[in-house]
């Protein structure tokens, strides 16, 4: 399931550039770190198991040379009682008045802002846009000078985001808290998308597997009761990613019902 989701990310890379990403049930962090390498701006690796936190941090550190995103690791147990919306990786605070251009550059490097798609910064990395807006300034001596450059670039950052998860739908008891968490994340960032890679597992019997997909049917029913709609991810990229994984992996889009 994780491999199929990574293939979809690679085939959909233009739509990923500059977006913040939350990976649910990260485990090793493979999907979130792959998104970072493909150009996500900020990536939050989350998991409800305390046992994997050290592994996640180690993997994030090990892969840091391979991307420019800001990657965070945090514990997140699914369920409506938790502040799931806070799992979205946060943007940097603007530089203080009086910050030198060098300090601004350092702040920008430390916070993996995304790729600009609007206005004078179209096609430039937001990092480059901030520095370009400050060219010729040795000191940003007033709030207007430093914040104007920062805000101009930050406003160009894409407004969406991605919630990602692979093989999260196996345990039916997790479906309700998982849907509550996805709903909270989408409510906090309405232009975001949630994409899950579902691994089909039927009961084995002589000659094959049982027909149908009880886990998926149950997840869709719980999602509907939670105000969510589950559909197959559209497009050739999803078909290619799922096809390469065989018939046992489906890419699902989970959307809020307006």
């Amino acid at each position: 399931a994780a491999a199929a989701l990574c293939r979809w990310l690679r085939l959909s890379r233009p739509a990923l550039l500059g977006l913040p990403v939350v990976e649910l049930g990260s485990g090793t962090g493979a999907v979130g770190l792959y998104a970072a390498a493909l150009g996500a701006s900020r990536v939050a690796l989350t998991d409800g198991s305390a046992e994997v936190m050290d592994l996640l941090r180690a993997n994030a550190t090990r892969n840091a040379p391979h991307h420019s995103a800001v990657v965070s690791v945090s514990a997140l147990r699914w369920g409506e009682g938790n502040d799931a919306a806070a799992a979205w990786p946060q943007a940097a605070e603007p530089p203080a008045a009086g910050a030198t251009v060098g300090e601004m550059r350092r702040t920008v490097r430390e916070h993996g802002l995304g790729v600009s798609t609007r206005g004078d910064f179209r096609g430039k990395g937001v990092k480059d846009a901030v520095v370009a807006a400050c060219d010729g300034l040795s000191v940003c001596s007033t709030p207007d000078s430093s914040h104007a450059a920062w805000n101009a670039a930050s406003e160009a950052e894409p407004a969406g985001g991605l919630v990602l998860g692979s093989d999260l739908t196996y345990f039916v008891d997790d479906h309700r808290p998982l849907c509550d968490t996805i709903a909270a994340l989408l409510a906090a960032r309405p232009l975001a998308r949630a994409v899950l890679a579902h691994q089909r597992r039927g009961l084995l019997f002589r000659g094959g597997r049982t027909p149908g997909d009880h886990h998926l049917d149950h997840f869709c029913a719980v999602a509907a009761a939670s105000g969510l709609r589950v559909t197959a991810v559209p497009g050739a990229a999803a078909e290619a990613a799922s096809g390469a994984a065989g018939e046992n992996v489906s890419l699902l889009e989970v959307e809020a019902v307006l």
Side-chain angles (χ1 to χ4, degrees):
L5 190 52
C6 286
R7 278 191 292 269
W8 177 76
L9 288 170
R10 176 171 53 81
L11 294 170
S12 308
R13 186 180 185 187
L16 168 68
L17 292 174
L19 292 181
V21 169
V22 175
E23 185 186 7
L24 300 176
S26 295
T28 64
V31 172
L33 292 171
Y34 194 75
L38 289 174
S41 60
R42 302 183 300 277
V43 177
L45 305 176
T46 71
D47 202 288
S49 173
E51 297 175 354
V52 304
M53 290 293 108
D54 287 343
L55 175 62
L56 273 176
R57 293 188 186 97
N59 286 342
T61 300
R62 187 175 296 116
N63 285 275
H66 305 298
H67 61 78
S68 61
V70 171
V71 176
S72 61
V73 174
S74 60
L76 177 64
R77 294 186 63 84
W78 305 334
E80 60 183 352
N82 297 317
D83 186 13
W88 282 111
Q90 300 301 305
E93 292 296 322
T100 65
V101 174
E103 290 169 336
M104 287 192 71
R105 287 177 183 269
R106 183 164 56 254
T107 302
V108 170
R109 282 198 305 270
E110 291 172 353
H111 295 83
L113 295 176
V115 173
S116 174
T117 57
R118 296 188 301 170
D120 295 338
F121 303 120
R122 185 179 301 276
K124 297 181 180 179
V126 174
K127 298 176 183 180
D128 296 331
V130 172
V131 172
C134 289
D135 273 352
L137 296 175
S138 58
V139 177
C140 297
S141 57
T142 68
D144 288 344
S145 58
S146 61
H147 286 219
W150 186 271
N151 291 338
S154 297
E155 287 173 2
E157 191 175 13
L162 273 178
V163 179
L164 301 173
S166 59
D167 205 13
L168 305 183
T169 50
Y170 178 60
F171 294 108
V172 295
D173 289 345
D174 288 341
H175 289 176
R176 172 68 67 181
L178 173 59
C179 287
D180 288 340
T181 296
I182 292 173
L185 287 166
L186 294 179
R189 205 170 177 97
L191 295 182
R193 300 176 68 187
V195 176
L196 306 180
H198 167 74
Q199 179 80 45
R200 179 178 178 270
R201 293 181 176 89
L203 296 177
L204 289 172
F205 68 98
R206 184 175 298 176
R209 294 179 180 270
T210 54
D213 190 336
H214 166 69
H215 298 90
L216 179 57
D217 293 342
H218 186 272
F219 179 71
C220 291
V222 171
S226 302
L228 301 171
R229 177 174 54 242
V230 181
T231 58
V233 175
E239 293 179 7
S242 297
E247 62 181 13
N248 289 327
V249 175
S250 302
L251 293 181
L252 309 174
E253 179 148 11
V254 185
E255 304 170 280
V257 178
L258 301 179

